[in-house]
Amino acid sequence: LHTGWAIEGSIGSKVKIDASYLSPHVNLASRLESATKHYRVPLLMSDAFVAGLNGVFQSTCRRVDSVTFKGSNEPMKIFHYDSVPIEHQTDKPKNYAELLSATSWKDEAEINRVGVDVKEILSSLESGTSVSI
């Protein structure tokens, strides 16, 4: 999900007309959708989209990564939706094995690839504090 301007136009003939949308924001939304496969999540949101949400919904958004997409020069923070914020989760993973089983990540190398500090997460799990990613 992303937010931004777009221009809509009708393309076609007298017999068939299709709507088309032109905008770098439309392209970015498409790249975000493609990135869901890479991050193994059903939904990704841009920082611009998350900034437009109210505080209650923002608290359920977890930062996944900072990415520079094709066609852009600036890195963008991307987010995923967690139905329950980590502060309110009662079944938080208590150790590394539970952390891996609670995610779709296979090993520490894959976790590090997406920019997560495993030691920081384990420390926060033991102390009961949350981690900013």
Side-chain angles (χ1 to χ4, degrees):
L1 297 174
H2 181 62
T3 185
W5 62 267
I7 298 171
E8 178 188 12
S10 299
I11 297 175
S13 66
K14 293 180 182 180
V15 179
K16 182 179 178 185
I17 297 176
D18 288 324
S20 182
Y21 301 91
L22 303 173
S23 169
H25 300 288
V26 172
N27 297 338
L28 188 54
S30 175
R31 289 190 175 93
L32 275 169
E33 191 276 329
S34 295
T36 60
K37 295 163 190 68
H38 176 77
Y39 289 100
R40 298 182 188 156
V41 294
L43 177 73
L44 286 172
M45 298 171 279
S46 68
D47 51 357
F49 183 85
V50 171
L53 298 174
N54 72 27
V56 173
F57 290 107
Q58 280 185 357
S59 70
T60 61
C61 297
R62 175 176 45 91
R63 183 173 164 198
V64 175
D65 205 347
S66 184
V67 179
T68 303
F69 287 103
K70 181 180 175 183
S72 175
N73 297 328
E74 299 293 320
M76 173 195 298
K77 296 173 189 166
I78 56 175
F79 296 83
H80 174 60
Y81 174 77
D82 287 327
S83 59
V84 179
I86 191 141
E87 301 84 40
H88 298 21
Q89 292 178 6
T90 57
D91 57 345
K92 295 179 190 176
K94 294 173 185 57
N95 56 44
Y96 184 68
E98 286 184 21
L99 175 67
L100 286 178
S101 68
T103 68
S104 61
W105 299 323
K106 292 183 174 65
D107 56 31
E108 186 173 340
E110 192 166 356
I111 290 173
N112 289 334
R113 178 185 56 78
V114 295
V116 177
D117 183 344
V118 174
K119 291 181 179 82
E120 182 183 1
I121 289 176
L122 290 175
S123 172
S124 72
L125 290 172
E126 292 169 1
S127 65
T129 61
S130 62
V131 177
S132 298
I133 325 182

